[in-house]
Structure formats: C-alpha cells, structure tokens
Amino acid sequence: MTHEVSLAVLERDGRWLLQLRDDIEGILFPGHWGLFGGHLNAGETPFQAVNRELVEEINWAPENLLVPWFSNHSSTLVVHVFRGPLCVSLGQLQLLEGQDMTLANLEELASGAIWSPRLREFRPIAPGLDIVLQRQLSDQD
C-alpha cells in the first residue's frame, strides 16, 4: 500500500520553518526536525492536505498560495512538497503539534542537527528532509 503526504517548505529570510516532532513511540522519526505537513485524508488533494495540516499544526493559513515544488515517489510513499513565504513571525504561530519550531538556514540543515530553543539541545533532522535539501541545492546549481 502506498501512502501520500504533503509537506510545506515555508521560507523567511532564507531560512525554512521546521517542526521538532514529538518524542512519542510509534510515530515516524520521533524527536527529529522535519517540515510541517502530513498524510492526505481520503478524497483530499495534496494542496488541500498541506493547507489543512498547517492550520492543524501551527494554526496558520498562508495568505499567498503555496506552490507545488516537486514530488518524490517510492514503493510505499509519495511525498508532495510545496513551498511559499512565511509572511508572519514565529510569535504569530501557535504550535499545536510537535515540541518546538524554529527557522533554519541551509547550512544548519546540511549539518544534520538543529538547535531546539525550547529543549535547549541539538536534535537531528529527519532522513526525509535530506531529499528536500538535496533538491534545493540541485536547483541552485
């Protein structure tokens, strides 16, 4: 069975908004940094899913439409990645899922670990985020 997810690369001043996933047993990559987003519900388009997830996870709906960037397909997972500007400050977002959020630049992402202001420690990035980072770097070439 193939699952589909939609993720948002929200950019502000050259940095991406990241979510620190909860430390809950049974979820994918607990305690890792990733992008906001999640699974598609039955009958939902990737665009609808990413916008729903942003409201559910940070209580924010983008003023500007998110643009489809790319999709990545494997035998069990289809990942739809959207991107757009984050036009509000972190203080205007309400973290409803996850244990922290932060903005990170490409150099920090490439390091493989990001500082959590709330937990006051470095946490690793989720393996799937590498695919998005590599796409960004290849688009810059």
Side-chain angles (χ1 to χ4, degrees):
M1 177 178 205
T2 302
H3 295 281
E4 286 187 80
V5 298
S6 286
L7 302 174
V9 174
L10 300 173
E11 301 169 277
R12 183 183 179 98
D13 301 323
R15 300 183 302 164
W16 293 1
L17 180 64
L18 301 179
Q19 174 197 45
L20 182 57
R21 298 178 56 76
D22 288 312
D23 284 316
I24 298 174
E25 192 174 319
I27 67 170
L28 286 176
F29 310 115
H32 286 66
W33 288 103
L35 298 170
F36 285 95
H39 288 88
L40 276 67
N41 289 333
E44 194 173 43
T45 67
F47 181 75
Q48 290 168 329
V50 74
N51 284 286
R52 174 186 50 77
E53 288 284 349
L54 290 174
V55 172
E56 290 177 2
E57 294 178 346
I58 55 175
N59 196 29
W60 181 71
E63 291 177 17
N64 301 314
L65 292 180
L66 297 179
V67 177
W69 184 15
F70 71 94
S71 293
N72 186 312
H73 302 257
S74 74
S75 61
T76 59
L77 184 65
V78 178
V79 179
H80 305 280
V81 182
F82 293 81
R83 70 187 314 173
L86 179 64
C87 302
V88 297
S89 70
L90 286 184
Q92 293 175 273
L93 302 176
Q94 182 182 3
L95 184 64
L96 301 173
E97 288 185 25
Q99 36 185 346
D100 203 355
M101 65 181 161
T102 195
L103 291 164
N105 63 36
L106 295 179
E107 184 177 303
E108 291 169 308
L109 286 161
S111 77
I114 306 291
W115 178 257
S116 167
R118 185 174 285 170
L119 300 181
R120 304 189 53 77
E121 64 186 25
F122 283 95
R123 289 292 185 99
I125 65 168
L129 195 49
D130 285 340
I131 296 167
V132 182
L133 181 59
Q134 292 307 315
R135 179 61 181 256
Q136 173 68 28
L137 296 175
S138 70
D139 283 358
Q140 289 179 342
D141 291 340

